[in-house]
Amino acid sequence: KSKTGESDYRVSNGYVMDSGLSSPYFIKNVDKMETVFSNARVLVTDQTLVSVPDILPFLEKYDEYCRTGMVPLVIVADSSNMGEALAVLANNAAKGNLPVCVVAPDGIGAQKAGNLSDIAEVTGARLVSKDRNMRLKDTDIEMLGWCKEFKGDMKSCKFVVSDTVNTLPLQARLARELELANSEDVPGLKERLGRVSGKAVTIVVGGKTETEQNERMDRVDDGIRSTQDAFRHGVVCGGGGVYVSLSEKMWFYGDTVKDKKYAKAYKLL
């Protein structure tokens, strides 16, 4: 929401994932089915959240860290629906004990590992990796990253980071890897390079009254979601296109119709 009556937009460094929240219990805004955090810490790991003892020591450290003020936490990790760790985190989020959400990384195999490495570098986090013999329960607060804004739903997530974050070295490294890659790895590297070189846009909506502002925000939200669905699934020309094509002809025939009711209907169409 804008603090003034004017609408505007801001372009920032960011990263968008094509995977969403791991559980609907992490959703804060039920009306829009999404969660928005400001100034959140980010934990990135390639380990799967299964048992509570694996995550509990870190959560105790984070609880101590939040003594002076609650700080949202975003965990980028795989999770098991049969495990207790995800259930404990979801329960704490639903009760408001801790503003936390878990996001499942997208991709498989090497592509997933690359995506985790990218999101860790963009947010300034240290990747907690089992390949480096790092354990999740030994994670310290200093290993967490930052993001100015996090927005996630059940389909995708967006991390907005500070403009001071320099992603050019990461872009250059991915570009070099792309030049030397074989044909099988090219699509995945192109996708990674596009993500880290892209920008996140925040639309600030204003209005003269709160009612007008909320209405404008709903319209903007509808437009964004429609555009996103069009990118994912394509656009099918339907009834709207037919009306546009026939509008001039129907207007012409409306002038020739003697019955006023039918003539008015033609012109409305």
Side-chain angles (χ1 to χ4, degrees), residues 37-253:
F37 288 150
S38 296
N39 298 319
R41 302 306 304 262
V42 183
L43 168 63
V44 185
T45 178
D46 59 2
Q47 302 177 40
T48 303
L49 302 179
V50 180
S51 62
V52 175
D54 291 338
I55 192 71
L56 185 59
F58 165 72
L59 292 179
E60 291 176 345
K61 296 177 186 177
Y62 198 79
D63 180 66
E64 184 69 23
Y65 169 73
C66 293
R67 287 293 177 89
T68 56
M70 198 66 72
V71 181
L73 174 65
V74 180
I75 302 176
V76 183
D78 281 319
S79 58
S80 172
N81 292 330
M82 302 300 292
E84 297 178 352
L86 183 65
V88 168
L89 291 170
N91 186 47
N92 277 276
K95 291 183 177 180
N97 297 332
L98 176 66
V100 62
C101 67
V102 179
V103 180
D106 52 348
I108 57 175
Q111 181 69 15
K112 179 190 289 187
N115 290 337
L116 285 170
S117 177
D118 293 343
I119 186 62
E121 187 160 348
V122 170
T123 58
R126 184 179 177 186
L127 177 61
V128 181
S129 175
K130 55 187 175 184
D131 295 335
R132 302 173 185 171
N133 296 322
M134 302 171 68
R135 298 187 302 177
L136 192 59
K137 61 182 179 181
D138 295 331
T139 303
D140 292 324
I141 303 300
E142 292 75 15
M143 301 168 67
L144 303 180
W146 279 99
C147 68
K148 288 199 307 183
E149 181 180 317
F150 168 82
K151 183 177 182 180
D153 53 30
M154 298 303 294
K155 294 182 180 180
S156 63
C157 295
K158 178 180 71 173
F159 296 82
V160 178
V161 297
S162 173
D163 294 334
T164 59
V165 175
N166 185 12
T167 61
L168 292 178
L170 176 58
Q171 295 178 38
R173 186 167 68 251
L174 290 175
R176 288 194 298 268
E177 292 181 11
L178 185 59
E179 292 177 357
L180 303 174
N182 55 45
S183 57
E184 295 180 355
D185 297 332
V186 167
L189 287 171
K190 282 186 176 180
E191 182 180 349
R192 289 176 59 191
L193 182 58
R195 289 186 181 185
V196 299
S197 60
K199 297 290 184 179
V201 179
T202 302
I203 301 176
V204 183
V205 181
K208 296 180 180 179
T209 63
E210 185 176 358
T211 303
E212 180 183 357
Q213 188 178 36
N214 291 334
E215 181 184 358
R216 286 184 177 180
M217 289 186 65
D218 288 338
R219 291 178 182 273
V220 170
D221 185 64
D222 290 343
I224 292 173
R225 292 179 184 274
S226 299
T227 304
Q228 290 174 340
D229 287 338
F231 271 108
R232 292 192 186 102
H233 308 296
V235 179
V236 178
C237 186
V242 175
Y243 282 132
V244 172
S245 300
L246 296 179
S247 60
E248 294 183 1
K249 294 182 179 179
M250 296 184 74
W251 182 269
F252 172 78
Y253 286 119

Side-chain angles (χ1 to χ4, degrees), residues 1-12:
K1 288 186 177 182
S2 173
K3 295 182 180 179
T4 64
E6 301 296 327
S7 298
D8 199 359
Y9 67 92
R10 297 191 299 266
V11 180
S12 307

